[in-house]
Amino acid sequence: MTSFVPRRRPAVLAMSAAALLLAPCATAAETSAASTRPPLSHSSARGDGQRPAAGQVGGQAARFKRQLTKSGYVSQSGTEAVFDLDKRYCEGAVFSALWANPQSPYIVTRLPEVQGQAPNTNPPVTWRLRQDEAVVMIGRTPPPEAYFSFDVTMMKGALPTGPLLWPSVGDPVNNKTVRTTGSTPYDRPFALVVTGHRQTRAKVNKMLAASGLRGAINNMTIPPAMFRLGLDKRSDQFLIGMRTAVPKRGYEKALDDYRAAPPIQVFRVRPKSGSSNQTKPVYAPDPLPVPRLRVSGTGATELNLNPSLQLLRRRIIKAHPGYKVSELVVRRGFEESYPGFQQKLLTDPPVTGVDALSNDADDPITPSFKLPNGSFLVAYGTNHVSTRQASYSSITLYGDPKAAVSLTSKNHEELRGSAHHYLSDKGNADKFYAWTFSRAGQNGPTGRYVTQLPSTGADYCARFGLHRPVDTSMVQFAARVYMQPGTHTRPAFSSLLMDRMLLFTPK
């Protein structure tokens, strides 16, 4: 079902998937410490003044393991850690950084293989799943923030060489839909169950309920109607990634602590086999159906703001005389996951494809363009959070068409107020942003809403103490628009005013 042919011939790099293991994200000891560490500092307390009891999550995980043994199940433990694609590109471990979001480092679930299974292509960040197995997380949700989610994705292809077919598997669990043990989605115990097998889900849910997590169980389905479950070479491989973005004021350190040591224990669980061959299912097939998807769009749009957007454009141009002006507008960057999966749209930068695009997100993007020394770029548009089209939005500049590494990024909170000096006479100025990315130094724009970029000759990978050539003279702009409050999923693309850019180069 998932065999594919690249849209164009990939540039294969001389790397091995073993690089992913040689430079691990975190040690097992670090993850073990995460699972038993005390509750976060005072800055991560719940908004209602309550906190999980010390050791509560660890106790629930221990009770769940006892329930597994009692129910005739076996388990293997995994780990949770940040997977920094920019750094991994500089290390030579991945063929591209794939437009990673620098403000939301991805926390990835790493799972061990089952003895005798076909090897994973990208161990341990991708894994195969026996048709009667489940992946189970028990932990605490992040501190208060604009957005977090758990995404299950399918990945076909090798991260060291590319290209990738990388769609999302259904809707993520996010901070508007997550079930926890309390009345808040933040800093509370939760459980997550990922499986494609009905009987396994029912039994695992029962064990979690007996472990003290009744009412806090979140089920995610890998539907056998769309994907091949199994441990043989023909089976699909999967990945769980967690996004965390824009902590509420006062919770910045709490989120840093959470990312550094995620308070989550993860297990791959399956019914115990009487055979030494653990790759053979114990239960007969009992496939779960494809879940209903959340529907994007409320009918409300930003389009009535277009006259003010055009005025903003004219005033930005007027503020910078003496420069040649070129215009760029974003376009749809990635196809929706299930259509893209069926079309086998590969991601091989600068080709976009599918690329694990969350069903919570619209990620419009520009083609690559030159941003030479002496020039600057003004990005402008609507602040999609202020217009209630999103819960989290950001703009990001990427360097090198193939590497697609992040240069700098600004989120909706940072963008707030940045268009006021252009629209001071307009009552809706707070619904817009205008941010400058400059390579013109002191001869160009300066001020609070200007990001000074390194010159095109700067060594990008030096920030990691590494060296790998990156052509930052060529850049690409991407916007992120996540989770409309009214629908708990992405906004309708047709409801947005597209983000725009004005490129100023010396005449």
Side-chain angles (χ1 to χ4, degrees):
M1 183 179 296
T2 58
S3 59
F4 61 93
V5 179
R7 284 198 259 176
R8 62 185 181 85
R9 189 174 183 179
V12 177
L13 303 177
M15 309 176 200
S16 165
L20 295 171
L21 292 171
L22 293 176
C25 297
T27 65
E30 288 170 333
T31 304
S32 176
S35 65
T36 58
R37 70 190 182 101
L40 298 176
S41 62
H42 178 71
S43 63
S44 67
R46 286 178 54 187
D48 59 10
Q50 301 179 41
R51 298 194 47 80
Q56 183 176 2
V57 170
Q60 290 160 340
R63 289 193 294 274
F64 176 67
K65 291 182 73 174
R66 290 196 293 270
Q67 288 291 326
L68 287 172
T69 302
K70 181 179 177 181
S71 302
Y73 271 63
V74 295
S75 68
Q76 294 171 277
S77 295
T79 60
E80 299 286 318
V82 167
F83 191 77
D84 186 335
L85 279 163
D86 288 332
K87 183 178 181 181
R88 290 308 175 93
Y89 180 81
C90 289
E91 291 172 340
V94 297
F95 80 108
S96 173
L98 296 166
W99 307 281
N101 186 351
Q103 294 198 337
S104 176
Y106 308 119
I107 299 172
V108 175
T109 298
R110 304 167 64 196
L111 291 174
E113 295 182 352
V114 174
Q115 186 175 2
Q117 74 161 79
N120 297 327
T121 305
N122 303 293
V125 298
T126 64
W127 31 268
R128 305 178 196 271
L129 196 67
R130 206 173 81 181
Q131 60 100 354
D132 59 350
E133 278 189 302
V135 178
V136 180
M137 285 185 182
I138 298 175
R140 238 179 27 247
T141 53
E145 57 188 316
Y147 178 78
F148 72 75
S149 69
F150 299 89
D151 272 278
V152 178
T153 60
M154 187 277 278
M155 182 186 289
K156 189 174 182 67
L159 276 166
T161 60
L164 299 174
L165 177 60
W166 196 4
S168 290
V169 179
D171 286 323
V173 170
N174 60 43
N175 53 311
K176 292 294 186 181
T177 64
V178 68
R179 295 162 60 90
T180 71
T181 59
S183 59
T184 173
Y186 306 112
D187 197 15
R188 297 301 299 166
F190 79 102
L192 184 73
V193 180
V194 179
T195 187
H197 196 276
R198 192 188 309 267
Q199 182 179 359
T200 295
R201 172 182 287 179
K203 288 184 175 292
V204 169
N205 278 205
K206 185 177 180 180
M207 288 184 268
L208 287 167
S211 303
L213 288 160
R214 187 185 305 276
I217 302 168
N218 300 269
N219 287 308
M220 301 185 76
T221 303
I222 300 177
M226 293 294 292
F227 302 98
R228 288 196 188 106
L229 291 170
L231 300 178
D232 60 289
K233 289 182 179 180
R234 296 177 69 250
S235 61
D236 290 327
Q237 298 176 62
F238 303 94
L239 180 151
I240 300 176
M242 185 181 184
R243 292 175 169 90
T244 57
V246 192
K248 291 187 179 179
R249 188 170 298 177
Y251 293 89
E252 293 84 359
K253 183 178 184 302
L255 182 56
D256 287 343
D257 291 345
Y258 189 96
R259 290 168 174 168
I264 296 171
Q265 294 189 52
V266 60
F267 312 94
R268 67 179 303 163
V269 305
R270 56 188 175 273
K272 188 175 183 180
S273 173
S275 167
S276 59
N277 183 2
Q278 292 293 308
T279 65
K280 184 178 179 181
V282 173
Y283 296 158
D286 191 5
L288 286 161
V290 179
R292 292 176 63 88
L293 295 173
R294 296 191 285 270
V295 179
S296 64
T298 63
T301 78
E302 300 174 339
L303 303 184
N304 282 319
L305 294 171
N306 188 50
S308 295
L309 181 70
Q310 299 306 320
L311 177 63
L312 176 59
R313 170 190 173 275
R314 294 192 296 271
R315 289 181 175 178
I316 293 171
I317 293 173
K318 185 177 180 180
H320 301 293
Y323 287 88
K324 177 183 176 182
V325 183
S326 304
E327 297 193 62
L328 301 100
V329 179
V330 297
R331 62 190 185 190
R332 183 182 290 277
F334 302 87
E335 181 54 273
E336 294 180 10
S337 285
Y338 280 150
F341 173 58
Q342 293 174 80
Q343 296 174 65
K344 302 179 177 65
L345 297 183
L346 302 185
T347 299
D348 188 13
V351 179
T352 48
V354 184
D355 194 38
L357 179 62
S358 171
N359 284 4
D360 278 357
D362 275 320
D363 286 20
I365 196 167
T366 67
S368 292
F369 59 94
K370 276 195 171 293
L371 184 61
N373 293 332
S375 66
F376 59 92
L377 172 74
V378 181
Y380 69 101
T382 54
N383 185 319
H384 302 297
V385 173
S386 295
T387 64
R388 294 196 58 76
Q389 289 291 330
S391 298
Y392 158 70
S393 65
S394 67
I395 59 173
T396 306
L397 207 61
Y398 294 93
D400 194 313
K402 185 69 179 177
V405 293
S406 58
L407 302 180
T408 186
S409 185
K410 296 295 174 183
N411 63 55
H412 61 271
E413 290 291 346
E414 295 165 311
L415 295 174
R416 204 180 299 276
S418 60
H420 280 197
H421 60 296
Y422 294 113
L423 298 173
S424 58
D425 57 337
K426 304 295 289 185
N428 59 8
D430 63 339
K431 291 185 177 359
F432 295 89
Y433 76 89
W435 198 277
T436 301
F437 302 99
S438 178
R439 282 195 168 130
Q442 294 303 310
N443 295 324
T446 58
R448 178 179 176 183
Y449 303 116
V450 178
T451 297
Q452 299 291 343
L453 298 173
S455 71
T456 59
D459 185 349
Y460 175 85
C461 291
R463 67 186 67 188
F464 304 114
L466 300 164
H467 176 71
R468 185 179 182 184
V470 174
D471 179 12
T472 59
S473 67
M474 293 292 292
V475 301
Q476 199 168 15
F477 174 93
R480 283 180 168 83
V481 193
Y482 271 71
M483 196 178 66
Q484 191 174 38
T487 62
H488 303 167
T489 188
R490 63 187 176 278
F493 204 67
S494 59
S495 70
L496 304 177
L497 282 172
M498 297 294 96
D499 298 77
R500 299 158 187 257
M501 279 122 281
L502 294 166
L503 176 62
F504 294 86
T505 53
K507 287 184 178 178

